[in-house]
mmCIF file of all heavy atoms in Angstrom:
data_model
loop_
_atom_site.group_PDB
_atom_site.id
_atom_site.type_symbol
_atom_site.label_atom_id
_atom_site.label_comp_id
_atom_site.label_asym_id
_atom_site.label_seq_id
_atom_site.Cartn_x
_atom_site.Cartn_y
_atom_site.Cartn_z
ATOM 1 N N ALA A 397 99.604 140.497 82.558
ATOM 2 C CA ALA A 397 99.776 139.930 81.208
ATOM 3 C C ALA A 397 99.925 138.428 81.210
ATOM 4 O O ALA A 397 99.591 137.766 80.227
ATOM 5 C CB ALA A 397 100.975 140.592 80.553
ATOM 6 N N MET A 398 100.428 137.840 82.317
ATOM 7 C CA MET A 398 100.571 136.397 82.379
ATOM 8 C C MET A 398 99.261 135.674 82.260
ATOM 9 O O MET A 398 99.181 134.583 81.652
ATOM 10 C CB MET A 398 101.278 135.981 83.682
ATOM 11 C CG MET A 398 102.739 136.372 83.783
ATOM 12 S SD MET A 398 103.729 135.519 82.591
ATOM 13 C CE MET A 398 105.326 136.272 82.919
ATOM 14 N N HIS A 399 98.209 136.242 82.782
ATOM 15 C CA HIS A 399 96.891 135.595 82.780
ATOM 16 C C HIS A 399 95.996 135.994 81.612
ATOM 17 O O HIS A 399 95.005 135.335 81.352
ATOM 18 C CB HIS A 399 96.170 135.837 84.098
ATOM 19 C CG HIS A 399 96.906 135.271 85.273
ATOM 20 N ND1 HIS A 399 97.929 135.905 85.870
ATOM 21 C CD2 HIS A 399 96.702 134.130 85.930
ATOM 22 C CE1 HIS A 399 98.385 135.181 86.885
ATOM 23 N NE2 HIS A 399 97.639 134.076 86.971
ATOM 24 N N ASN A 400 96.342 137.093 80.946
ATOM 25 C CA ASN A 400 95.537 137.575 79.837
ATOM 26 C C ASN A 400 96.481 138.271 78.822
ATOM 27 O O ASN A 400 96.407 139.491 78.640
ATOM 28 C CB ASN A 400 94.426 138.512 80.317
ATOM 29 C CG ASN A 400 93.434 138.836 79.244
ATOM 30 O OD1 ASN A 400 93.358 138.134 78.217
ATOM 31 N ND2 ASN A 400 92.660 139.867 79.444
ATOM 32 N N PRO A 401 97.349 137.530 78.159
ATOM 33 C CA PRO A 401 98.393 138.165 77.351
ATOM 34 C C PRO A 401 97.903 138.935 76.141
ATOM 35 O O PRO A 401 98.476 139.892 75.729
ATOM 36 C CB PRO A 401 99.303 137.007 76.978
ATOM 37 C CG PRO A 401 98.455 135.811 77.070
ATOM 38 C CD PRO A 401 97.503 136.083 78.165
ATOM 39 N N LYS A 402 96.786 138.458 75.566
ATOM 40 C CA LYS A 402 96.300 139.093 74.319
ATOM 41 C C LYS A 402 95.918 140.557 74.551
ATOM 42 O O LYS A 402 96.108 141.401 73.681
ATOM 43 C CB LYS A 402 95.085 138.298 73.835
ATOM 44 C CG LYS A 402 94.591 138.758 72.484
ATOM 45 C CD LYS A 402 93.451 137.845 71.998
ATOM 46 C CE LYS A 402 92.959 138.305 70.620
ATOM 47 N NZ LYS A 402 91.834 137.457 70.157
ATOM 48 N N THR A 403 95.412 140.878 75.717
ATOM 49 C CA THR A 403 94.968 142.224 76.050
ATOM 50 C C THR A 403 96.179 143.189 76.142
ATOM 51 O O THR A 403 96.044 144.380 75.783
ATOM 52 C CB THR A 403 94.197 142.230 77.346
ATOM 53 O OG1 THR A 403 93.124 141.291 77.265
ATOM 54 C CG2 THR A 403 93.618 143.629 77.628
ATOM 55 N N TYR A 404 97.293 142.701 76.568
ATOM 56 C CA TYR A 404 98.473 143.543 76.835
ATOM 57 C C TYR A 404 99.457 143.507 75.709
ATOM 58 O O TYR A 404 100.614 143.998 75.851
ATOM 59 C CB TYR A 404 99.128 143.167 78.127
ATOM 60 C CG TYR A 404 98.210 143.287 79.334
ATOM 61 C CD1 TYR A 404 97.377 142.236 79.714
ATOM 62 C CD2 TYR A 404 98.136 144.431 80.055
ATOM 63 C CE1 TYR A 404 96.495 142.416 80.787
ATOM 64 C CE2 TYR A 404 97.301 144.631 81.096
ATOM 65 C CZ TYR A 404 96.458 143.581 81.443
ATOM 66 O OH TYR A 404 95.574 143.734 82.513
ATOM 67 N N LEU A 405 99.101 142.981 74.535
ATOM 68 C CA LEU A 405 99.968 142.936 73.404
ATOM 69 C C LEU A 405 100.314 144.342 72.896
ATOM 70 O O LEU A 405 101.476 144.556 72.428
ATOM 71 C CB LEU A 405 99.361 142.111 72.288
ATOM 72 C CG LEU A 405 100.263 141.675 71.092
ATOM 73 C CD1 LEU A 405 101.441 140.890 71.607
ATOM 74 C CD2 LEU A 405 99.478 140.882 70.081
ATOM 75 N N PRO A 406 99.425 145.327 72.897
ATOM 76 C CA PRO A 406 99.838 146.698 72.475
ATOM 77 C C PRO A 406 100.945 147.327 73.317
ATOM 78 O O PRO A 406 101.513 148.327 72.868
ATOM 79 C CB PRO A 406 98.514 147.475 72.573
ATOM 80 C CG PRO A 406 97.452 146.501 72.443
ATOM 81 C CD PRO A 406 97.986 145.244 73.141
ATOM 82 N N LEU A 407 101.191 146.832 74.494
ATOM 83 C CA LEU A 407 102.288 147.393 75.322
ATOM 84 C C LEU A 407 103.670 146.811 74.945
ATOM 85 O O LEU A 407 104.630 147.181 75.634
ATOM 86 C CB LEU A 407 102.006 147.118 76.797
ATOM 87 C CG LEU A 407 100.779 147.779 77.401
ATOM 88 C CD1 LEU A 407 100.633 147.316 78.854
ATOM 89 C CD2 LEU A 407 100.878 149.263 77.327
ATOM 90 N N ALA A 408 103.715 146.012 73.933
ATOM 91 C CA ALA A 408 104.997 145.383 73.566
ATOM 92 C C ALA A 408 106.075 146.427 73.208
ATOM 93 O O ALA A 408 107.245 146.232 73.576
ATOM 94 C CB ALA A 408 104.797 144.398 72.397
ATOM 95 N N PRO A 409 105.762 147.506 72.484
ATOM 96 C CA PRO A 409 106.819 148.511 72.222
ATOM 97 C C PRO A 409 107.432 149.121 73.493
ATOM 98 O O PRO A 409 108.656 149.297 73.544
ATOM 99 C CB PRO A 409 106.121 149.552 71.390
ATOM 100 C CG PRO A 409 104.938 148.850 70.735
ATOM 101 C CD PRO A 409 104.516 147.834 71.752
ATOM 102 N N LYS A 410 106.631 149.416 74.465
ATOM 103 C CA LYS A 410 107.145 149.981 75.689
ATOM 104 C C LYS A 410 108.046 148.938 76.416
ATOM 105 O O LYS A 410 109.084 149.279 76.978
ATOM 106 C CB LYS A 410 106.042 150.466 76.595
ATOM 107 C CG LYS A 410 105.312 151.692 76.072
ATOM 108 C CD LYS A 410 104.319 152.229 77.080
ATOM 109 C CE LYS A 410 103.668 153.499 76.593
ATOM 110 N NZ LYS A 410 102.743 154.089 77.583
ATOM 111 N N PHE A 411 107.555 147.728 76.431
ATOM 112 C CA PHE A 411 108.344 146.667 77.082
ATOM 113 C C PHE A 411 109.678 146.432 76.352
ATOM 114 O O PHE A 411 110.714 146.196 76.978
ATOM 115 C CB PHE A 411 107.526 145.358 77.112
ATOM 116 C CG PHE A 411 106.398 145.336 78.056
ATOM 117 C CD1 PHE A 411 105.251 144.589 77.799
ATOM 118 C CD2 PHE A 411 106.396 146.135 79.211
ATOM 119 C CE1 PHE A 411 104.152 144.612 78.705
ATOM 120 C CE2 PHE A 411 105.336 146.149 80.074
ATOM 121 C CZ PHE A 411 104.232 145.368 79.830
ATOM 122 N N TYR A 412 109.652 146.535 75.019
ATOM 123 C CA TYR A 412 110.848 146.323 74.244
ATOM 124 C C TYR A 412 111.909 147.443 74.555
ATOM 125 O O TYR A 412 113.078 147.217 74.661
ATOM 126 C CB TYR A 412 110.537 146.304 72.751
ATOM 127 C CG TYR A 412 111.726 146.045 71.899
ATOM 128 C CD1 TYR A 412 112.235 144.772 71.705
ATOM 129 C CD2 TYR A 412 112.380 147.128 71.285
ATOM 130 C CE1 TYR A 412 113.322 144.534 70.870
ATOM 131 C CE2 TYR A 412 113.460 146.907 70.462
ATOM 132 C CZ TYR A 412 113.973 145.630 70.249
ATOM 133 O OH TYR A 412 115.071 145.426 69.450
ATOM 134 N N LYS A 413 111.401 148.682 74.684
ATOM 135 C CA LYS A 413 112.271 149.788 74.992
ATOM 136 C C LYS A 413 112.878 149.631 76.360
ATOM 137 O O LYS A 413 114.096 149.849 76.514
ATOM 138 C CB LYS A 413 111.477 151.098 74.930
ATOM 139 C CG LYS A 413 112.319 152.342 75.224
ATOM 140 C CD LYS A 413 111.461 153.565 75.133
ATOM 141 C CE LYS A 413 112.276 154.807 75.482
ATOM 142 N NZ LYS A 413 111.446 156.067 75.444
ATOM 143 N N LEU A 414 112.125 149.180 77.294
ATOM 144 C CA LEU A 414 112.687 148.940 78.633
ATOM 145 C C LEU A 414 113.688 147.806 78.611
ATOM 146 O O LEU A 414 114.664 147.779 79.372
ATOM 147 C CB LEU A 414 111.546 148.641 79.627
ATOM 148 C CG LEU A 414 110.670 149.829 79.988
ATOM 149 C CD1 LEU A 414 109.466 149.316 80.820
ATOM 150 C CD2 LEU A 414 111.426 150.913 80.741
ATOM 151 N N LEU A 415 113.432 146.744 77.819
ATOM 152 C CA LEU A 415 114.328 145.627 77.750
ATOM 153 C C LEU A 415 115.680 145.992 77.197
ATOM 154 O O LEU A 415 116.714 145.483 77.697
ATOM 155 C CB LEU A 415 113.681 144.506 76.853
ATOM 156 C CG LEU A 415 114.508 143.234 76.655
ATOM 157 C CD1 LEU A 415 114.609 142.490 77.996
ATOM 158 C CD2 LEU A 415 113.868 142.359 75.624
#
Side-chain angles (χ1 to χ4, degrees):
M398 289 294 177
H399 296 82
N400 191 16
K402 187 177 180 180
T403 305
Y404 299 88
L405 192 59
L407 294 178
K410 291 187 177 182
F411 289 151
Y412 182 81
K413 181 180 178 181
L414 291 173
L415 180 65

